[in-house]
Amino acid sequence: MHWFYELQEQMTVEELLREEWGLGKKIVHELRMAKGVTHDEAPVADWKATLPKGTVLRFDWPDSDSPYTADADTAITVLFEDEHFLIARKPKGMNTHPNEPGETGTFINAVIGYLVENGHSYGEHIHRLDQGTSGLVIVAKHPAAKNIADRMLEKKLISRNYEAIVNGSVRPAEGVIDEPIGNDRHHATRRRVSPNGQAAVTHYRTIRKENNGNTRLHLTLETGRTHQIRVHLAHIGNPIVGDELYGAEPEMDGTYALHAYRVSFVHPFTHAKVVVEDPIQL
């Protein structure tokens, strides 16, 4: 695959790859060996030569494969796609990725099936959602995009917003839950607020009170701990409706009311603001 990138200031190819994008040594080496960078005038032989602002670089990226089995029989809803990223909806009840080699039926298997049908061979999720959570997941379509997006996630440059319906009234109506999260030694898969856990910060805001006395919230993550929203809301006494693992009464269909409805970030290659929303009725 190939794409073009216009330098935003004067710099060398080496500076762009290592400092601006923060690519790892392996990826940079593969690109160098493939002679995968050219510009307007000629092939870039010297990666240390300073190029002027506005220089258009062409990247010819070697084909890469993902370790996941393609599942072409499972349809997915794609809400954004370009040559670098794909953003699609993960349904409730589906794992984001396989938990063991050869496993199929997950979101990323369906994404790979979609990509293969459209002439691509690589796809890696940037973040994950719990099996019972529906919503938007960002997928990188080549290794450089994966590398850069991982770094953006670490630096909190990707915003993720959720909607949830919780039991009861939430007081105060908006706020920040800043409580560390660790493993629950009494349950293999459950997490809990623990002074020895990892730092976790969740912002919440009440949208409205439901007719049945429950509360609809919008939430934003500063961190991405396992079950973070579920743990934090249960900790303040307002577990998500249907989330039996964290103290709520189970729903008839076994699901719980949490949906990742919005993601946003500044595109690292085009510098455009990307905002994708997927509001659904919980």
Side-chain angles (χ1 to χ4, degrees):
M1 66 177 301
H2 71 269
W3 73 87
F4 296 91
Y5 179 81
E6 182 177 336
L7 291 180
Q8 302 300 295
E9 56 184 275
Q10 69 172 22
M11 63 176 60
T12 68
V13 172
E14 192 86 27
E15 288 170 340
L16 174 67
L17 300 181
R18 294 192 181 278
E19 298 176 21
E20 183 81 6
W21 289 351
L23 298 183
K25 291 182 179 179
K26 180 181 178 182
I27 291 179
V28 172
H29 177 73
E30 289 176 353
L31 194 57
R32 189 192 297 272
M33 291 299 99
K35 298 180 180 178
V37 186
T38 58
H39 64 74
D40 313 49
E41 303 299 328
V44 178
D46 182 4
W47 281 23
K48 298 185 183 300
T50 300
L51 300 173
K53 176 182 177 180
T55 298
V56 176
L57 300 176
R58 172 175 169 137
F59 288 83
D60 288 280
W61 199 269
D63 289 337
S64 301
D65 294 321
S66 293
Y68 309 111
T69 302
D71 180 2
D73 296 327
T74 302
I76 58 167
T77 301
V78 176
L79 291 100
F80 172 88
E81 185 176 8
D82 64 8
E83 60 263 60
H84 309 288
F85 298 104
L86 173 153
I87 302 174
R89 179 194 302 145
K90 184 192 82 66
K92 285 181 181 293
M94 177 184 281
N95 284 328
T96 300
H97 57 81
N99 292 313
E100 56 186 47
E103 182 183 347
T104 59
T106 74
F107 168 79
I108 197 66
N109 293 123
V111 168
I112 297 299
Y114 167 86
L115 290 172
V116 168
E117 282 191 348
N118 289 277
H120 303 283
S121 59
Y122 179 94
E124 287 283 352
H125 57 283
I126 303 304
H127 54 106
R128 61 179 295 276
L129 297 176
D130 294 338
Q131 181 179 8
T133 304
S134 60
L136 298 173
V137 177
I138 305 170
V139 176
K141 292 175 64 177
H142 57 80
K146 165 66 172 168
N147 202 279
I148 293 169
D150 283 345
R151 186 163 165 255
M152 291 172 64
L153 198 64
E154 290 174 4
K155 292 187 170 186
K156 303 177 183 178
L157 299 177
I158 298 176
S159 177
R160 295 166 289 161
N161 303 98
Y162 296 76
E163 185 168 304
I165 302 175
V166 301
N167 290 145
S169 297
V170 180
R171 294 289 182 269
E174 63 180 283
V176 180
I177 308 170
D178 185 353
E179 298 286 353
I181 293 175
N183 293 328
D184 187 334
R185 67 178 183 274
H186 301 296
H187 195 289
T189 59
R190 191 166 54 206
R191 302 294 191 271
R192 67 184 184 91
V193 166
S194 167
N196 298 318
Q198 294 178 297
V201 180
T202 303
H203 298 256
Y204 73 89
R205 177 170 58 91
T206 295
I207 300 304
R208 67 173 181 266
K209 289 284 293 182
E210 303 293 302
N211 292 333
N212 58 7
N214 293 329
T215 305
R216 188 177 295 264
L217 302 175
H218 278 180
L219 307 106
T220 303
L221 295 177
E222 273 194 35
T223 52
R225 308 306 175 200
T226 300
H227 298 183
Q228 178 174 320
I229 290 174
R230 301 165 66 189
V231 173
H232 273 171
L233 292 175
H235 177 71
I236 65 172
N238 301 101
I240 295 171
V241 169
D243 195 358
E244 185 178 9
L245 183 63
Y246 289 101
E249 291 294 321
E251 294 289 284
M252 292 291 291
D253 61 1
T255 66
Y256 55 84
L258 180 61
H259 177 68
Y261 76 92
R262 185 179 188 268
V263 295
S264 61
F265 57 93
V266 175
H267 199 298
F269 299 104
T270 68
H271 305 288
K273 182 67 180 277
V274 176
V275 180
V276 178
E277 294 190 353
D278 180 34
I280 65 170
Q281 186 62 46
L282 288 175

